[in-house]
Amino acid sequence: MLTKRQNLVEVMKGGNPDRFVKQYEAFALMMKTPITRLKPPVGGSIVNEWGVTLSWPEGQLGSFPVHDKEHIVIKDITKWRDYVKAPNLDYPDEAWATAVADANAVDRNDQYVTVFVAPGLFEHVHYLMSMEEALMAYYEEPEAMHELIDYLVDFELRLAKEFIKHLHPDAVFHHDDWGSQINSFISPAMFEEFFEPAYKKIYGYYKENGVELIIHHSDSYAANLVPSMIEMGIDIWQGVMNTNNIPELIKQYGEKITFMGGIHSGLVDFPTWTPEIVAEYVEKTCQENGKLHFIPSQTSGLPIDSFPGVYETINKEIDKMSEKMF
């Protein structure tokens, strides 16, 4: 029997896996670092390390920035330097002790030691200045937007250096939502201009320093951005929704990138979910997308669920499909 890591490699290269990869099982996520992002508690709010006010209302599944006049960080994109200050990354070795111990405890033949980065560049920009202002500024103030993105890239490169120095990761799991359920937020041409070169620098740096896998989360439609994903060095697109034509993507791009998702979290992870609903979607997803270049997973961006029991039920149903299809 292949290890989790070996089995993932076989899936990605179109080889001979002996079962489906079960969601995040091959990735040991390092979440206890001194530089993991700050999030508010449910029902509360915080000001994060970049000065962004984040609120998590009761009854909602996640937090989002507050963008009224009082709380928005960048009030004028042409003067962004007056408002944006990158947080400290200079922590003593003892602050890394827990994360180092977690990394050392991982059997790297079985799992990838995986660092977690969020938000990504696109999200970070609209966290700082709101989605509406950001989308207009790509057209109206492209020079300032390039400068801001370059500043964020510099921060991410320094962040990567710290991860590599302390944890020697095998993989990076990087979040950045690039679309809605039906389309990307910006055109492929604009994405190529603003974000493809930026991510090539970031992901290239990880690869140059021994990181084997780039896993990028965008739980969205982004089929039109797959050529850029490949150019940027992404190995696995996590969060691919079934609003993308996943079988066609696998057929067209599977030799260059692996697709992880297909089980729409909104259709299985909700208050009145049942094991029968989960089983239906898991079976459909596995049968439609096949054994190679595809990892069945719910689309949400961590190995957790919003309603207890969903994540493990998905895993059990994936096991059943492995018995049927392998």
Side-chain angles (χ1 to χ4, degrees):
M1 183 176 177
L2 298 170
T3 70
K4 296 168 186 172
R5 182 167 176 160
Q6 291 166 343
N7 194 57
L8 173 63
V9 170
E10 292 298 313
V11 167
M12 293 180 62
K13 72 180 185 180
N16 294 291
D18 57 23
R19 62 198 185 277
F20 282 113
V21 176
K22 284 190 298 188
Q23 307 199 87
Y24 291 87
E25 67 173 356
F27 312 120
L29 287 165
M30 301 291 105
M31 302 299 288
K32 298 177 181 177
T33 77
I35 47 182
T36 300
R37 67 173 177 170
L38 300 176
K39 294 184 71 176
V42 177
S45 64
I46 61 162
V47 178
N48 77 2
E49 62 274 25
W50 287 84
V52 177
T53 301
L54 294 158
S55 175
W56 192 329
E58 292 280 359
Q60 298 300 313
L61 300 182
S63 62
F64 206 73
V66 178
H67 284 140
D68 57 29
K69 289 184 179 180
E70 178 184 353
H71 294 96
I72 197 166
V73 175
I74 298 177
K75 303 181 189 304
D76 180 348
I77 185 57
T78 66
K79 300 177 181 177
W80 66 267
R81 289 182 182 83
D82 295 342
Y83 306 108
V84 180
K85 182 175 175 56
N88 173 54
L89 291 177
D90 185 19
Y91 288 88
D93 287 344
E94 53 265 31
W96 285 91
T98 298
V100 170
D102 287 345
N104 289 340
V106 175
D107 176 358
R108 294 186 188 235
N109 186 53
D110 188 49
Q111 290 182 298
Y112 293 84
V113 170
T114 306
V115 294
F116 174 75
V117 180
L121 300 176
F122 180 84
E123 287 188 36
H124 209 151
V125 168
H126 74 72
Y127 271 39
L128 291 166
M129 58 187 298
S130 86
M131 181 69 85
E132 294 87 348
E133 292 296 326
L135 291 178
M136 289 189 293
Y138 290 118
Y139 289 98
E140 296 176 348
E141 298 291 343
E143 184 176 346
M145 293 295 274
H146 277 294
E147 292 171 356
L148 174 59
I149 291 167
D150 286 345
Y151 183 81
L152 299 178
V153 168
D154 178 69
F155 171 80
E156 284 222 18
L157 291 173
R158 289 186 288 115
L159 175 64
K161 183 178 180 180
E162 293 300 311
F163 280 142
I164 291 162
K165 173 184 175 182
H166 293 282
L167 303 179
H168 312 290
D170 307 303
V172 58
F173 183 38
H174 198 294
H175 275 219
D176 206 14
D177 289 335
W178 291 333
S180 68
Q181 294 188 42
I182 60 173
N183 210 340
S184 57
F185 290 129
I186 60 177
S187 70
M190 183 172 282
F191 186 87
E192 183 178 350
E193 176 188 346
F194 285 94
F195 292 103
E196 188 177 299
Y199 271 113
K200 283 180 75 172
K201 289 181 184 177
I202 295 167
Y203 291 156
Y205 181 85
Y206 278 107
K207 289 285 182 78
E208 290 162 8
N209 286 276
V211 174
E212 183 176 330
L213 282 185
I214 305 295
I215 308 121
H216 187 99
H217 164 83
S218 180
D219 52 347
S220 65
Y221 177 90
N224 56 342
L225 304 180
V226 171
S228 281
M229 293 187 203
I230 294 168
E231 182 67 22
M232 285 155 33
I234 293 172
D235 299 293
I236 299 173
W237 170 16
Q238 190 281 324
V240 56
M241 284 188 164
N242 51 12
T243 50
N244 299 272
N245 186 339
I246 301 173
E248 182 59 32
L249 289 175
I250 294 169
K251 180 180 177 181
Q252 186 171 358
Y253 300 110
E255 293 184 1
K256 297 179 179 178
I257 189 171
T258 291
F259 301 91
M260 178 176 173
I263 304 168
H264 192 323
S265 294
L267 300 177
V268 296
D269 193 4
F270 60 97
T272 57
W273 75 275
T274 65
E276 292 75 21
I277 290 172
V278 170
E280 176 186 351
Y281 281 105
V282 171
E283 180 174 11
K284 185 174 186 290
T285 298
C286 291
Q287 289 181 341
E288 286 183 351
N289 301 305
K291 304 175 183 180
L292 303 178
H293 312 300
F294 178 73
I295 301 166
S297 171
Q298 66 176 18
T299 53
S300 61
L302 282 171
I304 57 176
D305 43 36
S306 296
F307 300 93
V310 172
Y311 187 82
E312 286 307 315
T313 301
I314 292 172
N315 280 346
K316 290 176 183 177
E317 294 302 323
I318 292 172
D319 278 338
K320 292 179 183 178
M321 293 308 300
S322 288
E323 292 174 5
K324 291 181 180 180
M325 294 179 64
F326 284 83

